[in-house]
Amino acid sequence: MTPQPSSGGGSRRLLRQLRDLMQSGGQRQDRLDALVRLIADAMVAEVCSLYVMRAGEVLELFATRGLRREAVHRTRLRLGEGIVGEVASSGRPLALQDAQQHPNFAYRPETGEEVYHSMLGVPLLRDRQVIGVIAVQNKTRRAYDEEEVEALETVAMVLAEMIGGAGLIGEEEGRHTESLATLPARLSAITLNEGIGMGVAVPHERGIVIKQIVAENIEAEILRLDAALAEMQGALADMIERHDLDDEGEHVEVLETYRMFAEDRGWIERLREAIRGGLTAEAAVQRVQTDMRQRMNKVRDPYIRERYADLEDLGNRLLQHLSGGDMASAEALPQDAVLVARTLGPAELLDYDPQRLRAVALEEGSPTSHVAIIARALGIPMIGRCSELLSRVRPGDYMIVDGDAGQAMLRPRQSVRQSFLHTMEQRANRLAAQAAVRSLPSETRDGERITLLANAGLLADLEQLDDCGAEGIGLYRTEVPFMVRDSFPDIRTQSAIYSRILDMAGDRPVTFRTLDIGGDKALPYWSGGKDENPALGWRAIRIGLDRPAILRQQLRALVAAAGERHLRVKFPMVSEVSEFTQARDLLHMELERHLKGGGTAPSRLEIGVMLEVPALLWQLPALFPLVDFVSIGSNDLFQFLFAIDRGNPRLARRYDVLSPSLLSLLRSLAEQAGEHRVPLSLCGEMAGHPLEALALLGCGIKILSMPPGNLGGIRLMVRSLELAPLREYITYLSRLPNRSVRGHLRAYAGDHGIAI
Ligand code: PEP
Ligand code: MG
């Protein structure tokens, strides 16, 4: 019982027959009936039914071969109801050996389907929307194999285009989204790049209309594909070269990787295979893209998902070349454009004129996605994971992308626009004020010097070092370059990265933190096994000590990169003094080895520890004499202190870092570090927020490390402040029974003219 469409010839024949049927005249219902008959025969199925989405999200049986005729236009299923409803709501195929055993099975007596056991349903997708479902059924409990599923998917794709285009269903049918709202709306999202941008929504996918789906001449289509591929590869190389981007930084690597994808053999072969199955080159690209999208839905690994996003970008680009048009995005972009897309590839973003692009909003995307790296390099505000974005935004809608707060405002009222304009103006003023004091010392009004450092992970962060006026890098997260690569960088690659960082920092000190992987920081190519509780699991120094080869390689690379320069290294997630001493001994071993091999010693070596695990707080007298410095990782320390997952949005507002308990702890820590003359810094998020940083200074912490973009605001705050009275006030606040002292502190800042 092998269905014919799985063979190339059978598939081609069926596609041609379907096309001929569509082009023939005659009654609409007759043609639909003939269509399901053709498919049933080709799939060797006893039943083939076509359901079409009608207004109100109801799937109506439009034609059937095998079920009772009286059920046509009578049987209706809501979205999510029954197997057909499930296929439509998930947008994915479903193959069942015994459909009646499925929890979602919905029996419709009028259809007479009780005698059929196996079922395969596939969604009809048009413009990314489910417009219906095609289902085949068999009496026997048979398993549909992957080839059969793919065959029906190809048929579904052709049907979706043909049915819509040939007027086989009415205008109002085949849509499951109601007419789009015109009311203002706020959509929540996450920040991919900071900043606010507003303008007119421009959907990225202009939906190239594929005029011909079934190939007349397979060989000719393959030649067309090859020509378009060659053209695309050439154009990509030109575009990457043409763009006014710095030639340093991760974006260079991202674009190179992307260019390699364009030459990916597997992808090109899949395209050719689809053409051999009877599709035109354009339809083949679309077919492979649909297939990839479905696979992507099953993938949870963010890294792999990003790679799929890159391939999708390439698919769209290839379609453009096949259709012989210019890049759609380049044409007539409004002056103030806000680009809206489900995902966007790095090169797709480069297609748009950055001068006209105010912001980008994506339905997917993550801060480490390639397109986000490019957006940062171009300075374009960007938000991601904005669900329902595409179904709520219409082309031409006015919208605001708030990359600072991670939200989008759709069709905002005039008052909302005004208030965002005001915020943007304030932001611009603030930036100007910050720029004005950039080269002035970060010194309080009563003459206390405060050291402001930058956190970094990408080379792009280092590029901001001059602009932000940081005195050095307080936290270089070495895992970041590991995270954006395809495989573990070897010692030489690591050493080259660290050396580059030191070069860029010049005579400003850089504190390298050894690999902090595990927890929320996964390396795509290395699995440490599944932890029930990743934040409390096998991560950071625990991995480093259990797999010393990894840590030693990194330390070797650091020593080699430093050469004669100043080297500062700190270890993350240390819970016991002995973990620190073991790690430190490994560093000394590597240094000795380096010297024995004829290497030079660093001019100065400082070894410190991250204070992130509360247990270490009770070992301070033993720890201080052994370390050159201590860095508080307040993100983790706060998470462990309050037993809250730092990534859980439901807990995000429950506790406040400006709590008397954390302030008491930090005060005591600063006091003890002072007694031992050990420099104490803080490099968690709170150091970069003026009000929080104010509290830290009041606790006695005078070295703060933060994202480079936050430094200007903190410098302004420092220069507007008198430290002595603040310290007294913080002592008072740390003894209050309140859950948060945020309000008190804000009032204090207001009363004392402190810029927060
Ligand atoms: C911290 O925990 O505060 C910290 C700086 O480390 P990370 O955020 O990289 O875990
Ligand atoms: Mg941490």
Side-chain angles (χ1 to χ4, degrees):
M1 196 185 296
T2 311
Q4 291 163 21
S6 57
S7 66
S11 161
R12 257 175 265 153
R13 194 170 331 117
L14 175 62
L15 296 183
R16 290 223 181 99
Q17 285 169 330
L18 290 175
R19 182 199 55 190
D20 294 344
L21 182 65
M22 291 301 143
Q23 287 169 355
S24 67
Q27 293 291 317
R28 164 168 133 173
Q29 189 63 46
D30 292 344
R31 284 196 282 160
L32 288 175
D33 291 344
L35 185 142
V36 287
R37 225 172 21 241
L38 261 178
I39 299 169
D41 289 348
M43 295 290 295
V44 198
E46 280 115 9
V47 175
C48 174
S49 310
L50 171 69
Y51 292 82
V52 172
M53 189 76 79
R54 305 211 58 169
E57 304 199 325
V58 173
L59 288 147
E60 181 176 309
L61 181 65
F62 256 57
T64 183
R65 152 78 158 200
L67 299 183
R68 292 199 191 119
R69 274 204 74 80
E70 57 267 35
V72 173
H73 298 300
R74 256 186 71 200
T75 295
R76 290 173 166 213
L77 293 153
R78 286 191 311 278
L79 196 66
E81 187 190 14
I83 309 297
V84 167
E86 170 140 345
V87 169
S89 69
S90 68
R92 278 181 237 152
L94 189 57
L96 298 167
Q97 219 163 332
D98 197 341
Q100 295 176 25
Q101 295 302 318
H102 191 277
N104 243 11
F105 179 75
Y107 177 50
R108 289 285 189 271
E110 72 276 9
T111 61
E113 68 179 327
E114 59 275 16
V115 295
Y116 303 105
H117 288 283
S118 48
M119 178 166 186
L120 165 62
V122 170
L124 306 189
L125 296 159
R126 192 159 195 242
D127 297 338
R128 302 278 160 84
Q129 297 211 356
V130 177
I131 62 163
V133 170
I134 184 89
V136 293
Q137 290 171 273
N138 284 82
K139 279 188 184 146
T140 52
R141 289 180 176 79
R142 57 161 309 217
Y144 300 95
D145 65 25
E146 212 168 291
E147 261 183 53
E148 292 167 285
V149 177
E150 283 189 7
L152 194 59
E153 280 183 296
T154 304
V155 168
M157 186 185 108
V158 173
L159 276 185
E161 295 298 327
M162 288 181 171
I163 285 178
L168 279 179
I169 56 173
E171 270 296 299
E172 78 287 5
E173 288 140 7
R175 302 253 160 234
H176 83 261
T177 35
E178 296 293 333
S179 68
L180 293 158
T182 49
L183 296 172
R186 177 191 167 277
L187 303 178
S188 60
I190 61 164
T191 298
L192 301 189
N193 190 28
E194 290 180 356
I196 299 174
M198 54 177 81
V200 181
V202 177
H204 167 62
E205 275 126 355
R206 314 259 169 127
I208 289 188
V209 182
I210 297 185
K211 298 193 187 89
Q212 199 184 335
I213 290 175
V214 181
E216 296 289 349
N217 178 337
I218 303 287
E219 284 315 309
E221 290 302 319
I222 293 203
L223 287 177
R224 284 185 62 230
L225 175 75
D226 289 347
L229 276 168
E231 197 181 291
M232 177 182 81
Q233 286 154 0
L236 267 178
D238 284 354
M239 183 191 68
I240 292 172
E241 223 143 82
R242 184 179 69 231
H243 248 274
D244 189 20
L245 284 165
D246 290 338
D247 49 10
E248 296 278 2
E250 282 70 18
H251 53 269
V252 177
E253 198 159 325
V254 160
L255 294 174
E256 279 307 321
T257 315
Y258 179 85
R259 192 154 57 174
M260 272 160 51
F261 270 135
E263 287 155 24
D264 183 274
R265 292 274 116 211
W267 180 60
I268 296 174
E269 199 32 54
R270 281 203 298 282
L271 294 171
R272 291 203 179 119
E273 194 49 46
I275 296 181
R276 282 184 214 117
L279 298 177
T280 57
E282 286 90 341
V285 175
Q286 212 174 53
R287 173 76 187 84
V288 169
Q289 267 180 307
T290 310
D291 193 37
M292 245 165 23
R293 237 171 266 140
Q294 270 159 8
R295 281 192 226 174
M296 187 171 82
N297 285 335
K298 295 187 202 138
V299 173
R300 294 191 54 201
D301 186 323
Y303 182 83
I304 310 271
R305 286 180 73 96
E306 278 155 29
R307 292 302 177 280
Y308 275 121
D310 285 2
L311 278 176
E312 175 135 5
D313 173 344
L314 276 174
N316 294 338
R317 188 167 295 275
L318 187 55
L319 277 178
Q320 307 265 17
H321 283 282
L322 279 165
S323 66
D326 297 332
M327 290 302 115
S329 43
E331 75 192 31
L333 192 66
Q335 272 300 337
D336 293 332
V338 173
L339 192 61
V340 174
R342 195 169 59 79
T343 60
L344 198 65
E348 281 176 312
L349 180 56
L350 291 178
D351 281 337
Y352 292 89
D353 177 358
Q355 303 303 324
R356 290 167 178 242
L357 214 51
R358 295 287 161 262
V360 179
L362 302 180
E363 215 167 82
E364 298 184 0
S366 72
T368 52
S369 58
H370 288 164
V371 69
I373 291 174
I374 301 294
R376 270 175 239 143
L378 292 172
I380 298 173
M382 182 184 269
I383 54 168
R385 303 218 193 114
C386 188
S387 57
E388 293 184 28
L389 178 73
L390 292 184
S391 58
R392 310 270 311 255
V393 181
R394 294 170 317 177
D397 272 350
Y398 200 84
M399 69 183 285
I400 301 172
V401 167
D402 179 355
D404 294 341
Q407 59 177 350
M409 316 302 285
L410 284 191
R411 304 174 282 272
R413 292 196 173 86
Q414 197 54 32
S415 56
V416 175
R417 270 200 220 190
Q418 278 308 332
S419 107
F420 269 89
L421 279 172
H422 183 62
T423 309
M424 284 168 79
E425 209 173 293
Q426 278 182 325
R427 189 188 160 91
N429 291 342
R430 220 173 37 240
L431 290 178
Q434 290 169 13
V437 299
R438 192 173 54 206
S439 46
L440 299 178
S442 50
E443 197 173 286
T444 65
R445 279 170 43 205
D446 46 353
E448 290 276 358
R449 284 275 298 148
I450 306 298
T451 306
L452 302 184
L453 305 169
N455 291 348
L458 297 171
L459 284 175
D461 298 324
L462 267 291
E463 282 161 14
Q464 295 185 50
L465 212 52
D466 286 330
D467 283 348
C468 75
E471 289 179 46
I473 302 289
L475 166 66
Y476 178 77
R477 291 182 163 102
T478 57
E479 62 277 5
V480 177
F482 280 66
M483 287 159 79
V484 299
R485 279 178 168 71
D486 287 332
S487 58
F488 241 108
D490 59 16
I491 299 180
R492 199 202 294 241
T493 311
Q494 287 187 51
S495 182
I497 299 169
Y498 305 145
S499 182
R500 181 89 194 99
I501 304 287
L502 289 167
D503 289 347
M504 288 172 85
D507 50 12
R508 289 165 287 204
V510 178
T511 307
F512 290 96
R513 177 178 72 183
T514 61
L515 265 188
D516 185 6
I517 49 174
D520 58 341
K521 298 166 194 155
L523 294 185
Y525 44 86
W526 189 77
S527 149
K530 206 167 156 39
D531 269 329
E532 272 295 299
N533 256 318
L536 306 178
W538 198 47
R539 52 175 289 204
I541 196 67
R542 300 168 184 180
I543 297 178
L545 295 176
D546 292 350
R547 296 280 181 277
I550 298 178
L551 181 56
R552 285 184 60 177
Q553 284 189 6
Q554 183 173 37
L555 296 172
R556 199 173 305 165
L558 282 166
V559 169
E564 291 177 351
R565 296 181 274 198
H566 179 183
L567 178 61
R568 283 170 64 90
V569 178
K570 62 182 171 184
F571 300 106
M573 282 288 292
V574 168
S575 310
E576 297 181 327
V577 175
S578 66
E579 288 178 339
F580 169 75
T581 51
Q582 283 177 63
R584 178 203 60 190
D585 292 349
L586 289 179
L587 176 51
H588 281 142
M589 251 163 69
E590 287 306 324
L591 182 60
E592 248 169 64
R593 185 192 148 112
H594 174 73
L595 296 177
K596 272 197 197 128
T600 45
S603 57
R604 189 169 167 203
L605 174 66
E606 291 178 286
I607 311 177
V609 70
M610 292 279 291
L611 209 159
E612 298 174 287
V613 182
L616 208 54
L617 291 167
W618 283 271
Q619 303 165 65
L620 295 177
L623 180 73
F624 280 137
L626 303 175
V627 294
D628 294 313
F629 62 92
V630 169
S631 262
I632 304 166
S634 53
N635 303 339
D636 275 313
L637 184 60
F638 184 63
Q639 122 164 306
F640 298 133
L641 202 62
F642 279 77
I644 45 159
D645 177 348
R646 65 194 251 190
N648 187 333
R650 280 194 287 191
L651 298 173
R653 292 185 200 285
R654 191 174 188 95
Y655 304 105
D656 194 347
V657 283
L658 293 180
S659 65
S661 57
L662 189 67
L663 297 187
S664 301
L665 184 160
L666 296 177
R667 279 187 60 242
S668 150
L669 195 52
E671 202 175 298
Q672 295 179 66
E675 281 164 14
H676 286 84
R677 298 184 181 284
V678 171
L680 178 70
S681 62
L682 188 140
C683 58
E685 287 304 306
M686 59 186 298
H689 302 298
L691 199 63
E692 281 81 343
L694 179 68
L696 295 175
L697 298 178
C699 288
I701 300 170
K702 293 188 189 162
I703 309 171
L704 302 178
S705 192
M706 66 203 76
N710 294 15
L711 227 109
I714 302 296
R715 187 188 302 276
L716 265 187
M717 182 275 285
V718 166
R719 292 181 55 81
S720 64
L721 145 89
E722 232 179 297
L723 195 59
L726 172 73
R727 294 202 61 166
E728 265 177 49
Y729 188 61
I730 292 287
T731 306
Y732 158 75
L733 291 183
S734 68
R735 292 178 182 149
L736 290 180
N738 306 34
R739 65 169 284 277
S740 163
V741 296
R742 188 170 292 274
H744 287 78
L745 205 53
R746 189 170 283 128
Y748 179 90
D751 292 346
H752 292 77
I754 301 171
I756 51 165

